[in-house]
């Protein structure tokens, strides 16, 4: 992880009963959904058009998660997203999942590389200027 990270946003999420697995804690795949929720909320807050009607938008090309402490229902989570390492058409996002009641308790950390693509052509394109302005780095 190189470059300066900037806090892009944070949200509070309530763990749903359906997030649990047979072992009694939040299923590992659900952590990626928590990362997705903050990423989409951030893009919507910026009024970025995403989804099937958009001509271009974000695609995740890599994602990882380190699990520090299990999350048990019921729980409220504080999810933070940071941005860094801005390129022509991509940037990296970093995530932290904390207990909302005890913010020093970190449940997980993760990252994802986001590439902006033209959906029709199926190839990367430069990041939108309004998005680039909010991200840290020398290519701003």
């Amino acid at each position: 992880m190189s470059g300066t990270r900037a806090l892009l946003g944070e949200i509070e999420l309530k763990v749903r009963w359906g997030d649990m697995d047979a072992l009694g804690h939040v299923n590992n795949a659900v952590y990626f959904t928590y990362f997705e929720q903050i990423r989409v909320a951030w893009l919507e807050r910026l009024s970025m058009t995403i989804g099937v009607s958009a001509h271009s938008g974000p695609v995740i090309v890599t994602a990882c998660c380190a699990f520090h402490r299990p999350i048990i229902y019921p729980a409220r989570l504080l999810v933070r997203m940071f941005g860094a390492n801005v390129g022509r058409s991509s940037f990296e996002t970093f995530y932290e999942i904390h207990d909302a009641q005890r913010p020093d308790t970190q449940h997980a950390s993760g990252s994802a590389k986001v590439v902006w693509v033209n959906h029709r052509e199926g190839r990367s394109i430069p990041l939108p200027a309004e998005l680039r302005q909010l991200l840290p780095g020398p290519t701003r």
Side-chain angles (χ1 to χ4, degrees):
M1 167 171 55
S2 61
T4 304
R5 293 181 359 162
L7 180 64
L8 300 177
E10 61 182 39
I11 58 173
E12 201 169 295
L13 298 173
K14 188 175 179 181
V15 173
R16 302 167 304 169
W17 175 255
D19 293 347
M20 307 292 280
D21 63 17
L23 298 175
H25 53 72
V26 169
N27 182 281
N28 60 343
V30 176
Y31 289 70
F32 292 97
T33 301
Y34 297 156
F35 298 161
E36 177 186 60
Q37 284 182 264
I38 190 168
R39 192 170 49 248
V40 169
W42 177 67
L43 289 167
E44 287 176 342
R45 201 168 49 250
L46 299 177
S47 300
M48 303 294 292
T49 304
I50 57 174
V52 293
S53 64
H55 300 294
S56 66
V59 172
I60 303 302
V61 296
T62 61
C64 70
C65 184
F67 306 95
H68 306 297
R69 297 180 73 112
I71 302 170
I72 310 294
Y73 177 92
R76 292 196 69 74
L77 305 173
L78 178 63
V79 184
R80 292 188 179 116
M81 183 176 82
F82 302 84
N85 304 324
V86 182
R88 180 191 74 87
S89 61
S90 67
F91 63 99
E92 290 184 71
T93 54
F94 298 91
Y95 306 92
E96 296 176 354
I97 299 176
H98 295 265
D99 184 310
Q101 311 301 350
R102 294 181 312 273
D104 346 340
T105 302
Q106 187 173 8
H107 291 286
S109 57
S111 65
K113 184 167 188 175
V114 178
V115 175
W116 213 261
V117 299
N118 177 310
H119 295 308
R120 289 188 185 132
E121 296 175 13
R123 63 183 183 90
S124 67
I125 58 174
L127 290 169
E130 62 271 29
L131 184 65
R132 181 177 292 284
Q133 290 178 326
L134 301 171
L135 297 166
T139 59
R140 254 167 84 167

